[in-house]
Amino acid sequence: MVFLKYDIEEKDIRMLKEVYQSVGWHKHNELIIEKVFNASTHVVVALVDGKIVGFVRALSDGVFNAAIYDVVVHKKFQGQGIARMLLEDMMKQLENVSCIQLIATTGNVPFYEKMGFKKLKTGMGIYKNQQLAQEYLE
């Protein structure tokens, strides 16, 4: 059974790192993970048997805009509906925000389209990392 929680404790950082690494995100060290989660206004964490298996985080002003980041599920737990559960919970938390944006990782656009997201006509970005710029920018 999957349980959800809405905060991050110091002891969770190592498990978050394991989830990131399971999907190939190796640049997320424990200091970075702590920093990005502490800066996030909304967090949903999925646990199975007390172990973190997935998460999503967002930044929002609570009225007009929100940006969802890091919808990540451990490789061993993918395909079980956990990402859908996390994203649905996050969307409920953000239901009063008029604009919710999300950057999809390569290959995951169909999932987010099923969740109701649509491509932006005017979305723009700057990636300082050249490899990411090549992957995500037109």
Side-chain angles (χ1 to χ4, degrees):
M1 174 163 278
V2 178
F3 292 96
L4 300 179
K5 74 173 198 162
Y6 303 94
D7 63 337
I8 297 298
E9 302 171 52
E10 177 100 20
K11 66 181 179 70
D12 296 333
I13 302 298
R14 185 183 48 76
M15 285 189 281
L16 294 168
K17 181 179 176 183
E18 289 175 17
V19 175
Y20 276 121
Q21 289 183 341
S22 80
V23 297
W25 294 17
H26 297 286
K27 291 185 179 180
H28 286 63
N29 64 40
E30 292 178 10
L31 289 174
I32 289 171
I33 292 167
E34 186 173 16
K35 186 174 184 176
V36 299
F37 274 88
N38 284 339
S40 299
T41 57
H42 297 76
V43 172
V44 184
V45 178
L47 298 112
V48 173
D49 297 328
K51 183 175 169 83
I52 295 174
V53 298
F55 48 83
V56 59
R57 62 186 191 86
L59 299 173
S60 178
D61 60 21
V63 179
F64 296 111
N65 295 289
I68 296 176
Y69 299 98
D70 298 359
V71 181
V72 184
V73 175
H74 194 289
K75 195 85 165 163
K76 293 179 182 176
F77 289 87
Q78 291 179 2
Q80 299 179 28
I82 295 172
R84 176 178 293 279
M85 181 187 303
L86 288 166
L87 199 51
E88 285 174 349
D89 193 279
M90 181 61 74
M91 297 299 290
K92 185 161 180 54
Q93 289 186 49
L94 299 171
E95 68 186 349
N96 294 321
V97 176
S98 62
C99 176
I100 302 170
Q101 299 176 8
L102 176 143
I103 302 292
T105 49
T106 303
N108 291 317
V109 170
F111 168 73
Y112 294 114
E113 288 175 337
K114 287 180 192 172
M115 297 296 297
F117 287 88
K118 299 188 182 322
K119 291 185 179 181
L120 295 170
K121 292 180 182 178
T122 59
M124 303 180 89
I126 295 172
Y127 281 86
K128 294 181 178 180
N129 177 299
Q130 195 59 34
Q131 183 179 350
L132 293 175
Q134 289 176 338
E135 185 172 355
Y136 291 109
L137 299 177
E138 293 183 354

